[in-house]
Amino acid sequence: MKKIDYVDDVHPDLLLEKDDLLYNRTNSPDQVGKAAIFRGSKEDAITFASYLVRFRLNHQVVPEFMNYVVNCDGFLGYARRLAIPSVQQSNLNSTRYGQLIVPLPPIKEQEEIVATLNKLTASVAITKNLLNRQIDTLTAYRKSLIHECVTGQRRV
């Protein structure tokens, strides 16, 4: 059996901090350009893979706003057009993702946009959950009807 080795020591500059934005610079064409916010803390001692870029945002940017911007269809399409395609992978090198232009309204407006989008996203999630439950119920009903028909419990 092979022994698995782990990294015991990571330079503190490479540890993620709360609200760092992780940007996917190398991946399949449909995944490159996506981003996510790190919700942990530096005390968690978590680092990131080399195919990700960590953006540590300053006081002029609300992390959730930046996350919404870079993950919206228009921006993803823009970023993916800049990506260099290769076999099964696309890559946004530092020169290319450095060319991306991000709209940056004042902080107050960013916060309002985030609040509105959070509310809309929550509403969509509730609707999606309701529809999934209805689909599950209908699927179960369909299976029971098929079973009843096949076993002769229901006449067709």
Side-chain angles (χ1 to χ4, degrees), residues 7-8 37 42 58 118 130 153:
V7 175
D8 293 325
I37 298 173
K42 195 167 189 169
N58 65 25
N118 284 346
L130 176 64
Q153 296 171 343

Side-chain angles (χ1 to χ4, degrees), residues 18-126:
K18 183 177 179 357
D19 292 334
D20 279 348
L21 191 73
L22 294 171
Y23 188 75
N24 194 345
R25 69 175 188 86
T26 303
N27 210 315
S28 60
D30 65 322
Q31 296 298 312
V32 75
K34 289 188 176 183
I37 298 173
F38 179 68
R39 299 290 187 191
S41 69
K42 195 167 189 169
E43 289 73 40
D44 296 324
I46 295 174
T47 190
F48 52 99
S50 63
Y51 62 89
L52 299 171
V53 176
R54 176 197 57 202
F55 292 116
R56 186 155 293 149
L57 306 170
N58 65 25
H59 66 282
Q60 297 176 330
V61 185
V62 174
E64 291 84 2
F65 173 80
M66 183 64 74
N67 191 47
Y68 275 124
V69 169
V70 300
N71 283 303
C72 76
D73 288 342
F75 195 87
L76 280 169
Y78 171 48
R80 289 172 181 162
R81 282 190 299 279
L82 291 176
I84 301 166
S86 65
V87 180
Q88 304 289 330
Q89 293 278 303
S90 287
N91 179 272
L92 274 166
N93 62 31
S94 59
T95 301
R96 299 234 173 180
Y97 67 74
Q99 295 173 0
L100 296 171
I101 299 169
V102 179
L104 198 60
I107 286 287
K108 181 78 173 146
E109 191 174 338
Q110 290 179 48
E111 291 168 345
E112 290 169 1
I113 290 168
V114 166
T116 300
L117 290 174
N118 284 346
K119 193 182 304 183
L120 291 170
T121 301
S123 175
V124 168
I126 289 168

